Amino acid sequence: MDGLDALRAKVMDAISGASDEAALEDVRVSTVGKKGEVSLKMREMGKMSPEERQEAGPALNALKNEVNSALAAKKEALADAALNERLQSEWLDVTLPARTRPMGTIHPISQVWEEVTAIFADLGFSVAEGPQIETDWYNFDALNIPGHHPARAEMDTFYMKRAEGDNRPPNVLRTHTSPVQIRSMEALGAPLRIICPGRVYRADYDQTHTPMFHQIEGLAIDKDISMANLKWVLEEFFSIFFGIEGIKTRFRASHFPFTEPSAEVDVQCSWVDGQLRIGEGDGWMEILGSGMVHPKVLQAANVDPYEYQGFAFGMGIDRIAMLKYGIPDLRAFFDSDLRWLRHYGFAALDQPAIHAGLSRT
C-alpha cells in the first residue's frame, strides 16, 4: 500500500513532538482513532482485491501496533517527567529540625483525680463507678436521709421531670457519689474497700460552689474496722497528697444521716502573707466529712450490720485541688480559659504515681 512509510514518519514525528498528555491524545485520535488516518486506510481494504488485501493487511496492522507502542512509551515518558518535576518542586529536607507545636495540658481536676486514685490504689482501694442520674432510693432513702432533710428540697437538688401519669418519685442528678457505695455493696457484698470518684450536682453557685463539681468518697467494710483505721487512712492520704510527712489532723464530732458516729476532719494549716500553708502553724482547715457507716445503710445494701461494720468519707476533688495548687476561685475550673489552663495545667504525658512522684509539671 502506497504512502505507509510517509504516514509512519509523520506520525512518529508528531508523537515525539508531543509536549504533554493532551497533545499526545490529539495525535492518537488523529492517527488510530475511529476517524484517524490509519483507521481510514484500514477501511480501504474492503475495496481491494484479495491479493492486495493479503499484502496491505499485515502492513497496516504492523503500523497500527507500532503507533500504539510509540504512544504508550511517550505517555509513560511524559508521566515520568511530570513526576520528576513535581518531586523537584515539592522537595523537602528531612534533616531539618521539626517544628515545635504547642502541646495540650492536663486539667487540674483530671490531674488530682489521677493523683487521688493512685494514692488510694496503693492503700488497697479499688475504683467503683455508678450512674449520674439516680433514683430517689439510692440517692436518699438507702442512705438513711429522711424525707424532711434539707438536702431533699428542690432548692438544693436537681429533680428530673417524670412522664405524665408516672407516680414514682422523680429521679435526681446525684448530689453525692454515696449511691455508688450502696450499689457496690449490693453487687459485691462484704468485705469491701472502694473509692467512688465522679461528678455530682447541687443547686449552688459562688466562689467556692458550682452546680456541678467533682467528689470522691471512700468506703471500707469488714468485721473489725474502727475509727482508728479511718484516721490512719486519711492521714496517710494527706501525707502523700500534700507531700508533708506527719501531717496533723483533727476530728470534730458532727452529724450525717449515713454515718454514726460522724466527724468532720480538719488539717493543720497557717496563713502567711495571705497565703494558705497546709501542714504547719496553729490553724485548722475543714477538708472532709467522715464516720462509721450507719447500720441502716448497711442493711439497705443487704450487708448484715451485726456481722460487718466500716467507715466512709467524702471530699471534693475540686476543693483539694484548690488547696494544693493555690487556685482561688472554683468557677475558674469551668471557664475554659486557655491562659488559665496553660498556667495551672500539667504535662500531658506525665502521669502521677506513688513510686515516681505526684504533681510534676
Side-chain angles (χ1 to χ4, degrees):
M1 179 176 282
D2 297 336
L4 288 185
D5 291 339
L7 178 59
R8 178 184 292 106
K10 173 186 173 183
V11 171
M12 292 305 172
D13 288 343
I15 292 174
S16 177
S19 58
D20 53 38
E21 290 192 15
L24 187 65
E25 177 64 13
D26 291 340
V27 174
R28 185 194 71 80
V29 171
S30 65
T31 305
V32 293
K34 290 183 178 181
K35 297 181 179 180
E37 292 183 74
V38 174
S39 300
L40 291 176
K41 284 190 173 294
M42 294 188 77
R43 290 178 186 176
E44 293 177 1
M45 291 175 59
K47 302 176 182 179
M48 298 179 182
S49 65
E51 292 78 11
E52 292 174 328
R53 194 180 304 125
Q54 189 174 7
E55 179 184 353
L60 284 171
N61 282 327
L63 176 59
K64 183 178 180 181
N65 291 336
E66 186 178 355
V67 169
N68 284 332
S69 297
L71 287 168
K74 181 65 175 181
K75 184 175 182 179
E76 185 176 353
L78 289 172
D80 290 341
L83 178 60
N84 289 332
E85 182 180 355
R86 180 182 173 189
L87 291 174
Q88 289 295 324
S89 63
E90 297 180 0
W91 177 84
L92 176 66
D93 186 353
V94 296
T95 65
L96 290 173
R99 298 174 183 171
T100 58
R101 293 184 178 181
M103 181 178 289
T105 56
I106 300 297
H107 196 283
I109 291 177
S110 299
Q111 177 76 9
V112 171
W113 189 314
E114 293 296 328
E115 290 180 19
V116 172
T117 301
I119 295 171
F120 280 111
D122 195 59
L123 295 175
F125 288 76
S126 60
V127 177
E129 297 180 336
Q132 296 180 44
I133 298 178
E134 271 293 4
T135 66
D136 191 67
W137 161 258
Y138 282 108
N139 198 77
F140 297 121
D141 294 335
L143 294 163
N144 197 39
I145 300 176
H148 61 271
H149 195 278
R152 302 182 78 145
E154 290 188 0
M155 68 178 63
D156 290 329
T157 301
F158 294 105
Y159 284 89
M160 312 295 289
K161 186 176 181 180
R162 284 283 189 188
E164 187 175 350
D166 190 340
N167 296 322
R168 293 176 298 171
N171 289 337
V172 301
L173 291 178
R174 67 183 182 189
T175 59
H176 41 196
T177 56
S178 300
V180 181
Q181 299 181 19
I182 302 296
R183 292 180 178 274
S184 298
M185 285 189 284
E186 284 182 340
L188 304 174
L192 184 67
R193 191 182 299 179
I194 59 170
I195 55 170
C196 314
R199 294 185 180 91
V200 296
Y201 306 85
R202 295 179 191 172
D204 206 350
Y205 188 68
D206 58 32
Q207 187 174 356
T208 57
H209 299 86
T210 54
M212 186 278 290
F213 57 100
H214 302 83
Q215 189 178 59
I216 182 166
E217 298 190 16
L219 174 71
I221 302 293
D222 213 325
K223 294 182 178 180
D224 56 357
I225 288 182
S226 68
M227 288 286 286
N229 302 121
L230 169 64
K231 187 174 189 297
W232 181 86
V233 166
L234 292 178
E235 288 183 348
E236 282 293 301
F237 167 75
F238 292 139
S239 177
I240 299 170
F241 181 74
F242 290 111
I244 301 170
E245 196 67 34
I247 190 170
K248 294 181 181 179
T249 61
R250 182 177 69 175
F251 282 61
R252 290 180 290 105
S254 185
H255 171 72
F256 305 112
F258 30 80
T259 53
E260 181 59 39
S262 303
E264 290 185 343
V265 181
D266 305 331
V267 293
Q268 179 187 14
C269 70
S270 67
W271 289 90
V272 178
D273 298 328
Q275 291 186 343
L276 176 66
R277 295 185 179 180
I278 301 293
E280 62 180 56
D282 299 325
W284 297 96
M285 167 75 68
E286 185 271 323
I287 200 167
L288 60 82
S290 65
M292 298 298 291
V293 181
H294 198 290
K296 289 185 178 180
V297 174
L298 294 174
Q299 194 170 24
N302 300 321
V303 174
D304 187 353
Y306 295 100
E307 185 177 2
Y308 290 99
Q309 60 189 30
F311 64 74
F313 60 86
M315 56 187 152
I317 294 177
D318 313 336
R319 176 172 170 76
I320 61 175
M322 293 172 68
L323 293 176
K324 183 172 183 177
Y325 297 115
I327 301 171
D329 194 326
L330 180 64
R331 293 168 291 190
F333 282 120
F334 311 104
D335 285 343
S336 299
D337 187 326
L338 287 177
R339 296 167 299 174
W340 186 92
L341 290 171
R342 292 191 185 106
H343 178 74
Y344 287 106
F346 294 82
L349 301 178
D350 201 2
Q351 296 295 317
I354 301 298
H355 67 277
L358 302 173
S359 313
R360 295 168 292 153
T361 56

